[in-house]
Amino acid sequence: SSVSIKTLKQPSTPKKQQQQQQDVPSAINSIAFRAALKKPGSLRYLSDWRQYSQSVLEQIQHELAQNLPHPINQTATDQLTWDLGNAADDGIMPSFSNAGARAGYALGLLQSRARMLADLLQGDTVEPPFDDNNNLLFLNTTCTNRHCNLLSIGGGPGYDFLGAALVASFHNERAAFAAKAPAGYGTRNQKCTNTNLTIRATVYDYEPGWTDLVETMTRVAHSIFPTSSANNYQCHFGGRCDITLPLSTNINQCILKDTPTTDVFVCQYCVAENAAQLRRDNFVFFRNLLDLAPEGAVLVFTETTHRLWPELVAAMSGGFEVSFPFLKRGRNGVCLLVRKKQEAKILSDQHLATCKRFALHQEMNERRQQNGFVRQQKKKK
């Protein structure tokens, strides 16, 4: 990733807490209560979702800062930021071996990375990701118990778990309040009295040092999510993986075992920094994932650039459909969603045109590299 990690300080208590000294779960619950009375998809409902997600992530970031397993090494964090920027250009993965740099990375990008995935899964996009207009996690979260197995590839500190749990928590708390609303009050017809959404996330990463941060992130999240549903969201570090190798290799055996029962695969900011090796075997790791994934499973990709999406889509085989959603919130690029669907049609004319445009951007970038482009470090103030 070439996303910059700002110079980090221990965050102070959020202003609202300073002013009101309000209990955190109560403040979060109050937002969910308001959302329970709104019609899903309305502007007010969307506003409540954004406020809920922002409030939860701010609190998690604050608590994580007090509980990091290693102190932040700002010099190492700055170097990692620089290395990640170069990796996005040359496609060669940098090292995450420095614990202090991992701590700075985990804290500095927490809100943007978790929020990005949460908005994607919630459907807070310019256009619906797929024609059936479904929430990617729970197919519109109808009034039944629903469970999601999520596999986070290169998921490092646990951002993907946070994003998915945030969506599930919002729906769970909203449904709990809606069930208690008196007849005729608010959006009674939107009530969902038996919603019990659960997340089981497994994080795999090439760097084994993320283990302690995944554990800490999960523990902190449980302390912030409303207690009524916190245990619904579980996450653990599953071990090492290497996305440049086939699933059949030893390092990827655990992912190979989990793939047939996984609902959502997430790979955030890992493709560009491994592009050189991924191209060598035509993205074999992701081709294997799609081949072995169950029908309806979704592969979620986010990246600093959209230029690699045409190559990744072209490498896929079998029945699948794609989407290039653009988020409404934040300064994020075009994402890529691939959903397994055996009877899917070939790419639409619109998608083919999009891939052609993205491929042209890649050609322009390669030409720029050949002409001697060199990334410049930011001047220190």
Side-chain angles (χ1 to χ4, degrees):
S1 158
S2 61
V3 177
S4 63
I5 305 171
K6 297 178 180 179
T7 300
L8 295 165
K9 298 178 181 178
Q10 296 290 78
S12 59
T13 305
K15 292 181 179 179
K16 289 185 179 180
Q17 278 191 322
Q18 293 176 347
Q19 295 171 355
Q20 303 175 1
Q21 294 297 311
Q22 189 176 23
D23 178 65
V24 172
S26 297
I28 293 173
N29 279 338
S30 68
I31 303 172
F33 173 75
R34 293 202 310 268
L37 308 177
K38 310 291 174 55
K39 181 179 180 180
S42 68
L43 291 177
R44 291 185 177 181
Y45 175 85
L46 177 60
S47 176
D48 287 338
W49 154 248
R50 292 181 177 181
Q51 187 176 352
Y52 181 89
S53 57
Q54 187 66 29
S55 298
V56 172
L57 291 177
E58 285 178 355
Q59 299 300 337
I60 290 177
Q61 186 180 48
H62 174 73
E63 289 300 313
L64 180 64
Q66 317 304 319
N67 293 278
L68 287 170
H70 304 281
I72 293 173
N73 182 325
Q74 191 60 52
T75 301
T77 301
D78 292 343
Q79 183 61 48
L80 177 60
T81 304
W82 170 252
D83 292 342
L84 286 167
N86 286 325
D89 294 330
D90 59 30
I92 300 175
M93 185 181 69
S95 172
F96 282 84
S97 60
N98 187 291
R102 290 198 302 272
Y105 179 95
L107 192 63
L109 296 177
L110 185 150
Q111 289 196 45
S112 61
R113 291 291 173 78
R115 183 178 63 236
M116 179 185 297
L117 180 64
D119 283 349
L120 268 175
L121 298 179
Q122 174 70 5
D124 189 3
T125 54
V126 174
E127 295 180 353
F130 296 108
D131 291 340
D132 46 20
N133 193 25
N134 283 331
N135 177 297
L136 295 180
L137 275 181
F138 303 106
L139 304 180
N140 282 338
T141 58
T142 56
C143 301
T144 56
N145 293 343
R146 289 188 178 274
H147 174 77
C148 176
N149 287 324
L150 184 143
L151 202 155
S152 175
I153 302 166
Y159 297 146
D160 301 338
F161 159 69
L162 282 186
L166 197 57
V167 175
S169 172
F170 178 72
H171 285 282
N172 281 335
E173 296 309 308
R174 177 183 175 274
F177 283 114
K180 300 174 184 178
Y185 186 66
T187 54
R188 179 75 176 181
N189 62 322
Q190 299 294 334
K191 285 182 60 174
C192 185
T193 57
N194 191 33
T195 300
N196 183 32
L197 310 179
T198 61
I199 298 288
R200 295 294 180 270
T202 305
V203 178
Y204 290 98
D205 201 287
Y206 187 80
E207 171 54 57
W210 286 116
T211 304
D212 52 9
L213 262 164
V214 171
E215 294 173 353
T216 302
M217 190 79 78
T218 305
R219 185 171 63 252
V220 166
H222 284 170
S223 72
I224 299 300
F225 283 123
T227 55
S228 60
S229 61
N231 289 332
N232 285 13
Y233 323 122
Q234 301 297 327
C235 179
H236 74 279
F237 189 82
R240 297 185 67 207
C241 73
D242 189 337
I243 66 172
T244 68
L245 299 174
L247 279 185
S248 58
T249 55
N250 289 336
I251 195 172
N252 291 326
Q253 283 299 302
C254 289
I255 292 184
L256 178 65
K257 181 180 178 181
D258 289 345
T259 295
T261 57
T262 297
D263 304 297
V264 178
F265 302 84
V266 182
C267 185
Q268 290 211 71
Y269 293 86
C270 292
V271 175
E273 66 190 37
N274 288 280
Q277 292 296 314
L278 287 170
R279 286 172 170 141
R280 182 190 61 190
D281 291 321
N282 196 25
F283 300 88
V284 63
F285 178 91
F286 298 111
R287 287 191 285 115
N288 292 164
L289 274 186
L290 187 64
D291 289 343
L292 298 176
E295 180 77 359
V298 178
L299 281 66
V300 180
F301 298 93
T302 66
E303 194 48 84
T304 57
T305 176
H306 55 272
R307 297 189 299 265
L308 295 170
W309 297 155
E311 295 179 63
L312 184 52
V313 170
M316 300 294 186
S317 60
F320 65 93
E321 54 185 349
V322 303
S323 177
F324 301 104
F326 194 87
L327 297 173
K328 296 178 181 178
R329 177 168 52 164
R331 298 174 61 186
N332 305 307
V334 179
C335 308
L336 169 63
L337 304 179
V338 179
R339 183 163 67 173
K340 186 166 183 176
K341 191 173 183 180
Q342 293 296 346
E343 298 179 357
K345 299 178 180 178
I346 60 174
L347 294 181
S348 66
D349 290 342
Q350 180 182 358
H351 286 146
L352 288 172
T354 299
C355 286
K356 184 177 181 179
R357 177 163 51 91
F358 291 171
L360 177 61
H361 295 168
Q362 176 62 18
E363 291 177 11
M364 294 169 63
N365 182 66
E366 291 175 352
R367 196 175 304 126
R368 183 182 65 158
Q369 300 286 337
Q370 293 170 1
N371 290 336
F373 168 80
V374 177
R375 184 177 292 269
Q376 301 294 318
Q377 281 188 314
K378 292 183 178 180
K379 295 181 180 180
K380 295 184 179 180
K381 295 182 180 180

